[in-house]
Amino acid sequence: MSTASSTAGPTGLEQLQALRDHGMPTGIGPFIGMEPEEVEDGRIVFSASARPEFANPIGSMHGGIAATLLDSAMGCAVHTTLPPATGYTSLDISVRYLRPGPLDGSKLRAEGRVIHRGRTIRTAEAELTDHQGRLLATATTTCLIVPLG
């Protein structure tokens, strides 16, 4: 590791690799049981077990659960591309729901990928699938890159 990197702190990729390797101690992840499975530059995969508490009043998976998984995957995909002392904030998110999600304890998988790496604006996309690989929802986001500190 270079001296400049070690004084500035970890990169976004290093931060998310540590979360994958040591668990997600805070934030939305533990609240909904979301865990990072794969982390690489510009890409991340989260999983969570679908459960009855994810239901909306009509008994299907609440759209906010799908949106949260997709938003987390897209934002964290962007996060993996950041140098030390740099953050991001979402400017927009668009979600398309394609089929109802399960509530039976089966595995949900959200994969996020960066599709544009501008200096101040980055965009990402994500897909949410069920345990059989069926596409449940897709999303896109635009993020503003900001220096921290």
Side-chain angles (χ1 to χ4, degrees), residues 14-85:
E14 292 166 341
Q15 291 172 352
L16 288 168
Q17 287 171 331
L19 286 177
R20 177 201 58 209
D21 297 342
H22 305 294
M24 296 182 73
T26 62
I28 193 73
F31 185 70
I32 63 172
M34 182 173 59
E35 297 182 8
E37 290 189 348
E38 300 174 33
V39 179
E40 60 189 66
D41 182 57
R43 182 179 166 273
I44 194 163
V45 175
F46 284 110
S47 67
S49 294
R51 54 187 203 253
E53 296 85 4
F54 289 175
N56 60 25
I58 62 170
S60 62
M61 186 169 65
H62 192 285
I65 296 294
T68 298
L69 288 164
L70 291 163
D71 183 46
S72 297
M74 293 182 298
C76 288
V78 168
H79 193 115
T80 67
T81 68
L82 299 179

Side-chain angles (χ1 to χ4, degrees), residues 8-12 15 82-87 146-149:
T11 66
Q15 291 172 352
L82 299 179
T86 306
V146 293
L148 300 176

Side-chain angles (χ1 to χ4, degrees), residues 64-125:
I65 296 294
T68 298
L69 288 164
L70 291 163
D71 183 46
S72 297
M74 293 182 298
C76 288
V78 168
H79 193 115
T80 67
T81 68
L82 299 179
T86 306
Y88 66 95
T89 187
S90 298
L91 295 174
D92 64 36
I93 179 174
S94 176
V95 179
R96 286 158 302 284
Y97 301 96
L98 305 172
R99 68 168 30 102
L103 299 170
D104 60 1
S106 62
K107 185 177 179 178
L108 301 170
R109 182 178 188 272
E111 179 176 353
R113 294 170 298 283
V114 172
I115 57 175
H116 172 74
R117 293 181 194 221
R119 185 176 53 82
T120 58
I121 298 289
R122 303 215 175 146
T123 56
E125 63 186 8

Side-chain angles (χ1 to χ4, degrees), residues 1-10 14 84:
M1 183 181 290
S2 72
T3 305
S5 178
S6 63
T7 60
E14 292 166 341

